[in-house]
Amino acid sequence: MSSAVYGILWILTRVAGRVFLHYRTRGAEHVPAAGGVLLAANHASYADIPLLGCGVRRRLFYLGRANLFPYPPFGRILRWLGWIPLKIERWDRQAFGSAVELLKAGKAVVIFPEGTRTPDGMLQPGKPGIGRLVAQAQCPVVPVYLRGTYQVLPTGASWLRRHPVEVSFGESMDFQEECRQYQGKELYQRISQMVMARIAELRGVDHSAVPTT
């Protein structure tokens, strides 16, 4: 039943995005139609979650802060639809373990490597959590850049604003070589930096300008 509800919400969000936000996507063909894959996106707004989701023609599961939605009934509904609540104050074995299981089962999981929304619309340093997840799941990563979502719903805003939104998907990244050459924190940080550099390229900026610490 949750798949049917997800499908209905997908259609409604995509139609609303097209009508009110001139919503469009680029490079969606880079997302494989099947098999475990991790989508790594910049995080500018709460609007990122639905607007990224309606750009992919397969069901997505999202790693997100456990305190993102403080109302328990709403949280239960979101978990039913595919939200994986993540405790950010420490390494959350349960949340990341669930994500690894989904990836190994051939599902598509979304992570925001920055760990939290940007306060100013600019890219922030990536956290090593994405590297640890990739190392455990041994999955490809599709970088994603969401343009315009910060203007649609910036930090502190209570209402959506009309602004064009474009979601760009990059070519899949494989980290098997890095996993053979490095290990531990060095591997995790290296993967995180490489992913954030690719996201910066999708944005159209010099990746050397993106903070790394």
Side-chain angles (χ1 to χ4, degrees), residues 38-41 63 86 91 96 103 109-115 126-143 173 175 187-196 199:
L38 186 66
L39 281 72
L63 273 165
L86 173 69
W91 175 253
F96 277 95
L103 290 164
V109 175
V110 175
I111 188 172
F112 299 101
E114 296 160 289
K127 305 295 185 183
I130 183 176
R132 193 165 179 175
L133 180 56
V134 170
Q136 290 183 9
Q138 293 292 301
C139 63
V141 177
V142 172
M173 304 175 70
F175 293 101
L187 170 63
Y188 308 151
Q189 194 60 51
R190 190 175 189 86
I191 291 175
S192 175
Q193 291 173 356
M194 291 175 68
V195 170
M196 290 306 301
I199 292 173

Side-chain angles (χ1 to χ4, degrees), residues 26-27 30-31 141-145 168-173 198 202:
R26 292 183 184 273
H30 295 311
V31 181
V141 177
V142 172
V144 185
Y145 183 75
S168 299
F169 300 89
E171 294 183 3
S172 178
M173 304 175 70
R198 190 69 67 84
L202 291 172

Side-chain angles (χ1 to χ4, degrees), residues 10 50 145 159 185 192:
W10 187 94
Y145 183 75
W159 300 98
K185 292 181 179 180
S192 175

Side-chain angles (χ1 to χ4, degrees), residues 17-105:
R18 293 279 192 182
V19 172
F20 297 106
L21 305 175
H22 302 290
Y23 179 83
R24 62 179 180 174
T25 63
R26 292 183 184 273
E29 68 275 7
H30 295 311
V31 181
V37 62
L38 186 66
L39 281 72
N42 64 306
H43 198 12
S45 165
Y46 286 142
D48 293 337
I49 296 172
L51 292 174
L52 192 164
C54 70
V56 178
R57 295 185 180 278
R58 59 182 292 189
R59 184 173 180 178
L60 302 181
F61 297 82
Y62 295 83
L63 273 165
R65 290 197 339 258
N67 62 350
L68 188 62
F69 300 102
Y71 305 107
F74 193 35
R76 284 193 291 271
I77 293 173
L78 289 173
R79 284 195 293 273
W80 181 59
L81 289 172
W83 174 51
I84 307 169
L86 173 69
K87 298 182 177 69
I88 60 173
E89 65 273 7
R90 57 177 173 77
W91 175 253
D92 191 334
R93 293 181 181 274
Q94 182 176 351
F96 277 95
S98 296
V100 169
E101 289 180 6
L102 287 167
L103 290 164
K104 289 186 174 181

